[in-house]
Structures are given as structure tokens and as C-alpha cells.
Amino acid sequence: MAAKYTLINQDTCIACGACEAAAPNIYDLNDEGFAFVKLDNNQGTCKVPEEWWDEMDDALEECPTDSIRVSDQPFKRDK
């Protein structure tokens, strides 16, 4: 089974909390109210456990700004 990774684009996040509501094991809101991935502090480098994939898919569908990214490869960060 392929791995899945996720990342929040905080530039487009509107802090609505939909992702946290749909997938509280994966997503949370920071002190400013913007979403981030709890697994790796929004780096997109930690595999999402397979048992949480349905939650992740629900969050992806619920995000009104398409700020959630999902990939079968780790995300490369420009930092």
C-alpha cells in the first residue's frame, strides 16, 4: 500500500476549522487559528497512518479553500 502525506497551505487557509473537525488526529489550529498538520508540524514529511486516511479524505473534501494537500510522496519544503 502506498504511503500518504499531507500539508496545509497556510497562505490560503482561512482558519475555518473544517479540517480539524473532520480529522482531529491529523490537523489542528495554531495560536493564530490557522490549520497545520500535527504529525510533523506541517512539514509534509511524516506518513499519515492508513487508519486515518478516511478522515484525511473527509477533511480534503470539507476544506472550502482547497488548502489541504495530499501526496504519495513527502513534500519538499523550500526552506
Side-chain angles (χ1 to χ4, degrees):
M1 179 69 63
K4 288 192 181 184
Y5 302 83
T6 186
L7 181 71
I8 298 286
N9 180 346
Q10 292 181 323
D11 292 335
T12 58
C13 176
I14 60 170
C16 71
C19 60
E20 180 194 20
N25 289 315
I26 303 169
Y27 307 104
D28 201 355
L29 303 179
N30 65 19
D31 291 340
E32 292 82 40
F34 294 104
F36 71 98
V37 178
K38 295 176 11 177
L39 302 172
D40 57 13
N41 200 29
N42 208 49
Q43 296 303 301
T45 56
C46 184
K47 292 179 186 176
V48 176
E50 188 174 346
E51 62 267 21
W52 295 347
W53 288 4
D54 286 342
E55 288 181 20
M56 182 174 59
D57 290 342
D58 289 345
L60 185 66
E61 286 183 25
E62 294 296 323
C63 181
T65 59
D66 294 327
S67 296
I68 299 173
R69 301 287 177 248
V70 175
S71 175
D72 59 359
Q73 297 290 323
F75 288 86
K76 302 211 184 334
R77 301 298 299 218
D78 296 332
K79 289 188 179 180

